[in-house]
Amino acid sequence: MARSSGAFGGWKVVYQRFNRWAKSGVFERIFKLLARDHDNEYMMIDATIVRAAPHSAGAQKKTASKRSVDPAAD
């Protein structure tokens, strides 16, 4: 069964590209360019669209709570 690779390619391709860009200074050049904008119009970098699967973010499993035999214990 083939996995869906999404809009940016498979995870390994995305990681390799990010790693190459980081090592070659692409992000440093971007940040320096953004820092030259004295109005700070483009300074904000937003990661709110980055979402992880709930289990990777440490979410608790949804399970039905079972009532005990002793109603006083609930």
Side-chain angles (χ1 to χ4, degrees):
M1 177 200 265
R3 287 187 162 185
S4 172
S5 59
F8 299 105
W11 70 268
K12 191 172 184 179
V13 174
V14 172
Y15 170 78
Q16 289 171 339
R17 181 176 300 128
F18 176 86
N19 206 21
R20 279 195 313 267
W21 287 5
K23 287 179 180 178
S24 68
V26 169
F27 296 117
E28 186 175 349
R29 290 193 306 270
I30 290 171
F31 293 137
K32 283 182 180 179
L33 180 69
L34 290 172
R36 282 192 259 169
D37 179 16
H38 298 290
D39 295 333
N40 291 327
E41 187 177 352
Y42 301 108
M43 191 60 94
M44 185 174 63
I45 297 175
D46 188 3
T48 58
I49 61 165
V50 177
R51 295 184 184 156
H55 63 275
S56 66
Q60 297 292 324
K61 291 184 179 180
K62 293 182 181 179
T63 57
S65 59
K66 294 181 182 177
R67 299 195 74 134
S68 62
V69 178
D70 180 15
D74 285 337

